[in-house]
Every structure is written in C-alpha cells, then in structure tokens.
Amino acid sequence: MGKDKMDKKQNKKTLVILILTVILLVLIAVLAVILMKNKEKQDENTLAYTELIKELSYGNIEKIEMKTGSTTVKVKVKNVEEEKTAIVPNIESFMELVQTKVAEGNEIELIQKPRSFISQLPSIIISFLPTAIMLALFIMIFKMQGLGEKGKVYDDTERKTKIRFQDVAGLDEEKQEMMEIVEFLKKPEKYTRMGARIPKGVLLYGKPGTGKTLIAKAIAGEADVPFISMSGSEFIEMFAGLGASRVRKLFEKARKLAPCIVFIDEIDAIGSRRTSNSGAETENNQTLNQLLVEMDGFSSEETIIVLAATNRPEMLDKALLRPGRFDRQITIPTPDLKGRLEILKIHSKDKKLSEDVNLESIAEDTAGFTGAELENILNEAAIIATKNRHEDIEIMDIEEAVKKVTVGLEKRGRVYSEKDKKLTAYHEAGHAVVSRYLPTQTDVKEVSIIPRGVAGGYTMYKSDEDKYYISKTEMQEKLIALLGGRAAEKLVLDDISTGASNDIEVATKIARDMVTKYGMSDKLGPIDFQGKEPYEMQMFGENIGDKIGAEVKELIDTAYRDAQSLLIEHKDKLDAIAKELLAKEKIGEEDFKKFFA
Ligand code: ADP
Ligand code: ZN
C-alpha cells in the first residue's frame, strides 16, 4: 500500500466519522425536541396522582394508555374531553389497582405502547439509536448536574394568582392563622426589625380535596407574591439525582422571585421517613436531604415561605418538622355544615340552580364530603341536568350527582344473572336490616340492586350530623352494619361472594384504628401503635404484633356474629326486603320504613 492510498483511507475514515457525528447530532436534536414537546404537553394537561386514584375509584376512568418503561400514563376521564397525563409513582401497584377495578366490572380500555418515537423512526436510524440514546443520556446527566446550559428541567406553575381568601369557604380559624403569613410576606422588615424569625415552612395536613392547594394559592394572592408549585410525586424519577436537582432548581427560582410562596403538594412522596438501602429509597433520601439543605440555607431576608401538603403526617420524616423547617403545622379539616354550605354557595354562583334547590339541605346530606367533592357534585349535577334536558339544575339532578360521586354512575345496561341479582338483593337487604336494629346507625335512605360504578348494589344511609367524636359503641355497630351484607349471603345462600370485599376492607380499617389509634381495646389499653418503628414497638413486648392482630380479629368476629344473630332474629324482614328489591330494584326511605311499621 502506498502512502497516498493510506492518506485517502484516512480521509475517508474522517469523513465517515464526521457524517456519523452529524447524523447523531441531528438525531439527538430530534429526540430532544420530541422529549421537550412531550414535556410541554404534559405540563398543560396533567392529573395529580391522588386525583387519578380518586377518579379510578369513582369508576370515572375510561382509558389508560401507557408506554413501556415510563411512569407517565395517559388517561381519559369520563366527561372530560382532553386526555390527561399523570405520573404514577409505582406502575406495578397502580396496575394492580386497575386490574381489581377491571375485575370489579369497570370498563377500562388498557393500551400498552412501546415508546412512541421509536416506532416512528425508520429502521436504519434505529440501529444508531442506542448510541444516540447513550449520548442523549450523557447530555441529560450533565444537565442534571447543572453543568449544561440552563433549561426548563422541572414543571412549575409560576405566576401571581388571582385567588383570595374570600374564594376559600369556611376554614375561618385557619385563614386567621394564614393572615399572619401574608403579613410576613408583605412586610418582612416589620418583623425582622423586632428580631422575629419569619417561619420558613408550614405543613398543611388534610385529606385530598380539602382545599390545601387553594388556601396556599390564596396566601400568595393576598400577599401579591408569586406562587411556585410542584408535586412530591414529580420528584420521583427514574434517574438518580434528578429529584435532588429539581429541588435545587426549584429553590434557585424561588430565590430569584422572593418574596414568594413555594408549594410542595404530596410532600410525603419525598419526605417519608428515611430508611437506608434500596435504590428508590436512596433516591428519596437525596431528594429529601436536598430539601432540608435548601430550607436551612435561605436566610430570613429572602422571605421564601414553603407550604407543603400531605394527608399522611405520620409518614413524614421527623427531620422535616424541626425548628427552622416545617415548624408550623395546620390541620385542614373536612368542612363542617357551615363550611359545606359556603362551599356550595361559592361553586353554585356560576350555575343555574332551580328555585326549589335548597343548598342547606344538600349541605346537611353531605357530612364528610370534601370541598373538591362538593364542587364535583355541582359540576356533575349541571351535566346531569343537561342530559335530562332540564331548564335548570333541579333537586333530582343534584341527588343523582351525589350518588354518582359517592357510589359511581348507575349502570342499568350491565346484564347480570338471576343468581347474582338474588345475591346482591340479600347482601344489600342484609346491610339495611342490620343497621335498622343498631341504635347508633343512621336511617337507611335508599337500598338498590342497580349496579353503580364498581358496586353491584348499594345501601345509602342518611347523613350524620357533624360529630367531633365517635364512640366505641358507634364504631362497633358500624362494623356490624358493614358485615351485615356478607352475613346475609352466608345465612340465606350458604355461600359467600367477592361482593363484600369493600365492606371488609372498610371494616378491617375501622377495627385496626380502634385498636391501634383510638386505644379502644381493653386488653391493650389506650396506646397509639400507629406509625411506630419496629424498635419502638418492641417496647410493648415481643409479641405485640400478634396481640394487636388478635384484638382486631376479635372485634371483627364479634361484629360478624352479631350481624348473623340480628339477621336470624329478623329473617322475615330480610326476606321481605330482598324480595321487594328483586321486584323493584330500589327501595326509598319511606318504603323501607313501612317494613318495620
Ligand atoms: P387539596 O390541595 O387539599 O387536595 P384543592 O385545594 O386542590 O385540595 O381543592 C380542590 C378544589 O376543591 C379547589 O380547587 C376548590 O374548587 C374546591 N375546594 C376545596 N376546598 C374548598 C373550600 N374550602 N372553599 C372553596 N372551594 C374549595
Ligand atoms: Zn356491602
């Protein structure tokens, strides 16, 4: 081989490498654009994980589309045009939940897709893909570590909100407390001059939908400062270190915008107790540590107030609650009668209600409902009224909406066998008859064997007035009422079904709380056993777990026996009501009472 040829070959090689590099760069650019587009789309139309679970349990999810290896799923919610995306922290357990819903008769269309952009690319390019992905990954990792150029790595909503305290119904005392934070944000100098330390973090405890986000926005609105928010579940990522980096970026931004409010929803997703080992947990640790570092880092001149929301306070790492971090905690309760009425008023302002609709009586009937559920009821009522071609929203539309939100949509179309029908009739009659003989239980409002949502039938009770305390007797009787369905199946058909699974789930939770949270077991005494670490449990003796289990079982067994004996005693009523249900499918409050006249 001559020198000339060698050179030519060398040149050719360089050229090939050059072309390859160009192709790769183009590929990366394409990938990056697709990724960014996806990301943008997500930002516009996301559904919080808690919302997703809620919709799923209401039976409102029609379609779930997921991509292999991705934690993002696309869902179609009933009555909502646009498909929404949601981030699922644990795909496996989420799928389990979906499967149970499907098994219960929910019609959910499941679509599993390979990562879409791969399938669209021609095959030649695909052979380069691994290299491209590797490079893209490197670039992403660089970006994550803050070495790359500044880019939008996290999702946030940063703007001044128009929401004010007057948009938050009820919660008067909580608002009072929040007023102080508004003052801090407005005039920090006033406080620092006195030597007061401005609070850095406030934790809001409360069920989903009780208005935690709303009140956080209202604080920002009242103080006229920017509101930056992020959900804890968004921090859970497949790439190690990304969570921590997102936290850092979030606070970088907050520093620039200070004074401002940083809102972290579902903080339990990152702030759970730190335990060592496994991958996901180490990732969480890094994220949590970063959050702690940030909170310790900003000085009081910076006036950043971090509000965080959770409905599982017992899960939180104690380090979060130390002074200088989330040292203020405010519980956001489910609204009482007055609160519910105010919420209904706020959310019915823009709706056409019929004259005869009495918001007070709706408020009375909805004890235990959250603000979000009440809002949802009014929305559903408007949809139902439209479907019914009513001039305006009538009482029956609202009643139907309440049922839809609590037990799901009526499914008259679902066919089920005579045998299933009989089983459901006895199951529901069992609940209704048993609770009729339990003094602490509220009156039956409606019994039905028309399938609704995931339930084959349902028994609705009149709403309780708001109560701050529930007695042990009341809880015991609640257990009996819950197990009345299963007891009736066994008594009449001498067989039991899966239809009682939800009753059993609820009953078990109540019994466990009675023993471990409310100290209602005579044997174990008034001790809080919940959320304790294993070493803390050992204080109570080696076999404390067994003893708790035995007490829970005892409560359930007793309740089941009591339900059975009540049904045996009143077998005539059970038969009569089941028969009526088979004939008419539904029994209202007045007709139900007649059986006991
Ligand atoms: P959380 O953050 O506690 O899960 P949100 O603040 O997201 O609850 O509440 C969801 C929706 O429910 C709100 O946007 C609002 O429409 C309604 N809502 C909840 N609580 C209230 C309230 N106290 N007053 C008015 N609306 C409320
Ligand atoms: Zn039941």
Side-chain angles (χ1 to χ4, degrees):
M1 240 192 276
K3 194 174 178 278
D4 224 44
K5 247 185 175 176
M6 274 272 270
D7 260 354
K8 256 191 190 160
K9 212 171 181 189
Q10 200 66 43
N11 278 345
K12 229 182 183 174
K13 223 174 166 183
T14 324
L15 199 73
V16 170
I17 289 174
L18 213 86
I19 291 171
L20 268 180
T21 319
V22 169
I23 290 177
L24 276 178
L25 282 175
V26 168
L27 256 175
I28 292 162
V30 168
L31 276 174
V33 167
I34 292 171
L35 277 175
M36 261 153 69
K37 275 255 167 71
N38 274 348
K39 198 89 191 143
E40 267 163 29
K41 254 198 222 149
Q42 266 173 35
D43 291 355
E44 276 165 26
N45 215 345
T46 53
L47 192 66
Y49 185 57
T50 45
E51 286 296 316
L52 173 61
I53 295 300
K54 217 192 293 172
E55 296 291 1
L56 190 63
S57 65
Y58 292 155
N60 284 348
I61 300 291
E62 290 176 335
K63 192 169 106 182
I64 301 174
E65 191 179 310
M66 52 182 69
K67 286 180 192 148
T68 325
S70 166
T71 50
T72 309
V73 299
K74 235 197 234 165
V75 295
K76 168 81 177 67
V77 183
K78 213 170 275 177
N79 301 326
V80 178
E81 268 283 292
E82 289 258 283
E83 293 194 347
K84 304 227 171 206
T85 55
I87 293 171
V88 176
N90 184 340
I91 284 280
E92 261 165 52
S93 62
F94 173 69
M95 278 317 291
E96 259 174 42
L97 198 68
V98 172
Q99 296 302 352
T100 52
K101 290 289 160 200
V102 171
E104 280 165 359
N106 259 23
E107 284 151 26
I108 304 174
E109 189 187 344
L110 282 175
I111 300 171
Q112 178 92 38
K113 279 195 174 169
R115 306 209 128 190
S116 60
F117 54 87
I118 293 182
S119 55
Q120 286 159 15
L121 296 173
S123 57
I124 317 161
I125 299 181
I126 286 179
S127 52
F128 290 113
L129 214 57
T131 331
I133 288 174
M134 283 288 281
L135 271 170
L137 271 177
F138 272 122
I139 290 174
M140 278 174 84
I141 289 165
F142 269 123
K143 276 187 114 175
M144 275 169 227
Q145 286 166 347
L147 298 172
E149 27 99 52
K150 272 194 192 131
K152 193 173 169 243
V153 186
Y154 55 85
D155 315 337
D156 63 350
T157 38
E158 165 232 323
R159 61 183 164 217
K160 299 216 168 164
T161 83
K162 288 203 179 71
I163 294 170
R164 297 287 181 274
F165 279 150
Q166 66 178 37
D167 301 310
V168 184
L171 301 172
D172 294 335
E173 282 143 47
E174 290 77 12
K175 279 195 249 176
Q176 206 66 43
E177 213 170 333
M178 306 287 190
M179 234 10 246
E180 207 178 301
I181 298 172
V182 173
E183 285 296 313
F184 284 141
L185 284 165
K186 273 183 168 163
K187 299 194 183 86
E189 338 65 69
K190 197 168 120 193
Y191 291 86
T192 43
R193 210 183 50 211
M194 283 288 189
R197 189 169 54 79
I198 291 177
K200 283 183 179 172
V202 181
L203 261 185
L204 304 174
Y205 292 151
K207 282 213 298 192
T210 43
K212 299 183 291 297
T213 312
L214 189 70
I215 208 165
K217 281 188 182 158
I219 294 173
E222 290 283 341
D224 196 28
V225 300
F227 178 83
I228 316 178
S229 80
M230 209 154 162
S231 169
S233 57
E234 287 167 42
F235 289 111
I236 307 171
E237 284 291 335
M238 33 194 174
F239 300 117
L242 193 51
S245 146
R246 285 184 168 197
V247 171
R248 204 172 46 236
K249 292 243 156 105
L250 183 72
F251 280 89
E252 236 168 56
K253 180 159 216 165
R255 283 205 181 84
K256 271 186 216 133
L257 294 172
C260 68
I261 293 272
V262 173
F263 179 67
I264 304 176
D265 202 2
E266 300 177 65
I267 192 167
D268 41 282
I270 44 167
S272 305
R273 291 162 180 234
R274 280 173 296 184
T275 41
S276 50
N277 56 60
S278 88
E281 279 177 347
T282 329
E283 162 74 349
N284 265 353
N285 290 356
Q286 285 181 18
T287 313
L288 177 56
N289 286 337
Q290 188 63 39
L291 179 62
L292 297 177
V293 166
E294 296 292 346
M295 290 197 66
D296 293 344
F298 57 77
S299 62
S300 49
E301 286 91 69
E302 280 170 312
T303 334
I304 298 168
I305 295 186
V306 187
L307 295 170
T310 178
N311 63 330
R312 294 187 296 178
E314 74 285 350
M315 298 276 294
L316 291 182
D317 197 297
K318 295 277 180 289
L320 274 171
L321 309 178
R322 296 228 185 90
R325 293 172 184 166
F326 292 100
D327 46 7
R328 290 199 177 197
Q329 285 119 44
I330 298 178
T331 306
I332 308 292
T334 47
D336 57 8
L337 180 62
K338 184 171 153 278
R340 291 196 301 277
L341 182 58
E342 279 181 39
I343 293 172
L344 288 169
K345 277 184 185 155
I346 285 188
H347 291 291
S348 59
K349 251 188 227 147
D350 54 348
K351 301 216 161 53
K352 235 174 108 189
L353 289 185
S354 157
E355 300 250 308
D356 58 345
V357 170
N358 179 355
L359 290 182
E360 256 130 75
S361 87
I362 302 170
E364 275 166 21
D365 277 351
T366 45
F369 281 56
T370 63
E373 283 166 328
L374 292 170
E375 189 199 359
N376 193 6
I377 284 174
L378 289 172
N379 277 329
E380 289 296 342
I383 294 168
I384 292 166
T386 315
K387 273 193 199 150
N388 289 345
R389 293 169 199 279
H390 291 163
E391 278 288 303
D392 37 25
I393 303 170
E394 294 175 15
I395 291 188
M396 60 166 288
D397 301 321
I398 297 183
E399 278 177 357
E400 177 63 24
V402 171
K403 283 185 216 161
K404 186 176 170 189
V405 169
T406 46
V407 254
L409 199 63
E410 211 168 68
K411 290 197 176 138
R412 281 184 186 271
R414 198 197 291 168
V415 250
Y416 64 140
S417 67
E418 283 306 308
K419 189 166 159 272
D420 279 353
K421 237 175 163 168
K422 186 170 174 197
L423 183 108
T424 313
Y426 271 99
H427 179 103
E428 298 308 331
H431 283 305
V433 171
V434 164
S435 57
R436 172 67 180 70
Y437 292 102
L438 298 168
T440 64
Q441 299 302 295
T442 51
D443 287 351
V444 168
K445 193 171 172 188
E446 190 174 286
V447 198
S448 160
I449 58 166
I450 302 168
R452 224 176 223 291
V454 294
Y458 59 90
T459 303
M460 271 176 71
Y461 301 95
K462 296 203 49 165
S463 178
D464 240 334
E465 78 269 34
D466 294 295
K467 267 191 272 199
Y468 283 104
Y469 304 112
I470 303 175
S471 73
K472 181 175 172 183
T473 312
E474 203 174 332
M475 289 180 104
Q476 282 168 324
E477 294 192 347
K478 177 94 200 160
L479 291 180
I480 302 174
L482 278 166
L483 296 174
R486 164 59 65 93
E489 291 178 27
K490 176 80 184 132
L491 181 68
V492 180
L493 308 165
D494 194 28
D495 195 6
I496 51 181
S497 77
T498 54
S501 71
N502 187 254
D503 301 335
I504 292 171
E505 189 185 326
V506 177
T508 310
K509 180 164 187 335
I510 293 177
R512 198 176 55 218
D513 281 351
M514 287 172 77
V515 176
T516 62
K517 186 171 177 183
Y518 302 119
M520 287 176 176
S521 149
D522 294 332
K523 280 205 192 112
L524 297 173
I527 296 173
D528 168 23
F529 294 107
Q530 285 197 348
K532 295 264 184 297
E533 304 281 352
Y535 74 89
E536 290 174 290
M537 287 302 276
Q538 272 183 1
M539 274 190 328
F540 305 109
E542 278 296 310
N543 303 322
I544 188 66
D546 298 350
K547 284 184 195 148
I548 290 173
E551 282 295 277
V552 173
K553 186 166 178 336
E554 174 70 22
L555 280 171
I556 297 278
D557 287 348
T558 311
Y560 187 61
R561 271 199 304 276
D562 289 349
Q564 275 183 321
S565 29
L566 271 173
L567 289 174
I568 291 169
E569 192 182 335
H570 302 287
K571 178 82 173 13
D572 54 330
K573 305 276 195 267
L574 178 69
D575 286 330
I577 290 166
K579 221 171 123 194
E580 178 88 347
L581 275 174
L582 283 169
K584 296 203 176 133
E585 296 199 315
K586 217 187 238 189
I587 304 177
E589 190 180 344
E590 294 310 314
D591 289 333
F592 182 76
K593 278 189 182 146
K594 282 186 200 140
F595 284 93
F596 300 90

